[in-house]
Amino acid sequence: MRQTPKITEMYSSTTVLTSWAAAIARTLEQRGADSHALFHQAGLDPELLSDPNARYPVTGTAHLWQLAVAETGDDAIGVAVAGNVGPTTFHALGYSLSASGSLQEAFDRIVRYFRIVTDAADVAFEREDGVCWFRARIPPSKPIPAPEAIDAFMALIVRLCRDLYGPTLNPLRVELERARPRNVERFEAYFQAPVEFGAAENALCFPVEAVDRRLPGGNPELARINDQVVREYLARLDRENISNRVHVLLTQLLPSGTASQENVARAMHMSLRSLQRRLSEEGVTYKSVLDDTRKELALSYMREGGHSVGELTYLLGFSDSSSFARAFKRWTGKSPRQYRAEK
């Protein structure tokens, strides 16, 4: 059985946004519990709850979940906590998700930027046999989150989908690794779907047609702006993630036509050779990061509409419109005009 690292070992590694713990605090207070006392007992400073950028160690929040269950006697408290999550709980990511044009876009953002919430788990969204699966996996090298934390997160994903799509959307199936709780009916009432406990993984199954449907509240420009805020936060959070820092710099330099390797290296206060080496260690190259950044921005701008091919050529730092058109067809299999006509 894996040993959970000591809290002091995890402050600089596996963490979660304190705003996630704020939802636990609100739920405890609704039950008449002294949330601050429980936070102190878990070794967490409740004063950090007011700082939107602060983070707690996952081992500390796991202890808090245990105390919350003991205090309330409710082993389904994670489902209740999902109802106390606000739009700013996940920093700017919450706004990006709300502005997504489809559930597929929302899940793509969750997978891409999940690290802003926590680095305690890996998430994936996959299509298999005519349905879509959202999965949350705990790497062997990471401390084990409390079962209630997984409950809350999976319940929150379903709430997000209902908020975007409509209240009638239910998952086709829910699978949770946790042991069968006493309050099974609470889970079934919330998810409105078959729930398997003691499963091989934590997963939600959704119908493809719901995932692909265009959402009336989609706002590509708002989503793109908040995506950039998330990127900048992650660049500050993990200074060692060089490719993410390069991505942030490229979004700033591309419109001015100064997004060369030399300029990026200079802005990061390192030599060109060091930049190339650090990117190589992450399994990427400057060219691949530049291409991914351009593709992500191009699709976002195209969803926004209102930009001519000439404007997109400028915003993405291409030398001419034909170069942009060739790159766009390589990314999507379609010309910019064909892509826009189908949207």
Side-chain angles (χ1 to χ4, degrees), residues 34-222:
D34 185 345
S35 64
H36 277 211
L38 293 177
F39 270 69
H40 283 299
Q41 194 174 341
L44 304 175
D45 181 2
E47 296 301 320
L48 292 178
L49 292 174
S50 61
D51 183 350
N53 294 312
R55 304 180 74 86
Y56 284 140
V58 166
T59 46
T61 56
H63 190 192
L64 178 64
W65 279 109
Q66 294 171 352
L67 294 171
V69 172
E71 178 72 17
T72 62
D74 182 7
D75 62 356
I77 193 172
V79 175
V81 167
N84 278 314
V85 170
T88 60
T89 294
F90 295 148
H91 207 270
L93 178 58
Y95 292 114
S96 288
L97 296 177
S98 297
S100 295
S102 67
L103 292 184
Q104 178 67 62
E105 286 183 24
F107 279 114
D108 287 344
R109 285 190 166 91
I110 293 171
V111 172
R112 187 182 308 128
Y113 301 128
F114 183 68
R115 199 164 53 87
I116 197 173
V117 181
T118 182
D119 54 353
D122 295 327
V123 296
F125 189 70
E126 301 154 337
R127 294 177 181 239
E128 296 177 2
D129 302 322
V131 296
C132 297
W133 285 93
F134 176 76
R135 297 183 168 95
R137 305 181 177 100
I138 312 302
S141 60
K142 299 293 185 179
I144 304 172
E148 294 76 21
I150 301 295
D151 298 343
F153 178 61
M154 301 305 257
L156 177 59
I157 293 298
V158 172
R159 177 188 158 190
L160 168 69
C161 291
R162 288 170 177 161
D163 287 346
L164 294 175
Y165 182 95
T168 59
L169 178 63
N170 298 316
L172 300 174
R173 182 176 179 79
V174 179
E175 297 181 0
L176 297 171
E177 294 180 7
R178 63 160 298 151
R180 185 179 179 88
R182 295 187 302 276
N183 299 313
V184 171
E185 65 282 357
R186 291 267 300 285
F187 287 82
E188 294 173 340
Y190 183 90
F191 288 112
Q192 292 292 298
V195 182
E196 178 187 353
F197 298 99
E201 61 181 357
N202 299 299
L204 300 168
C205 182
F206 291 97
V208 169
E209 55 271 19
V211 169
D212 288 340
R213 194 181 92 174
R214 300 307 298 174
L215 300 174
N219 187 322
E221 182 178 11
L222 183 61

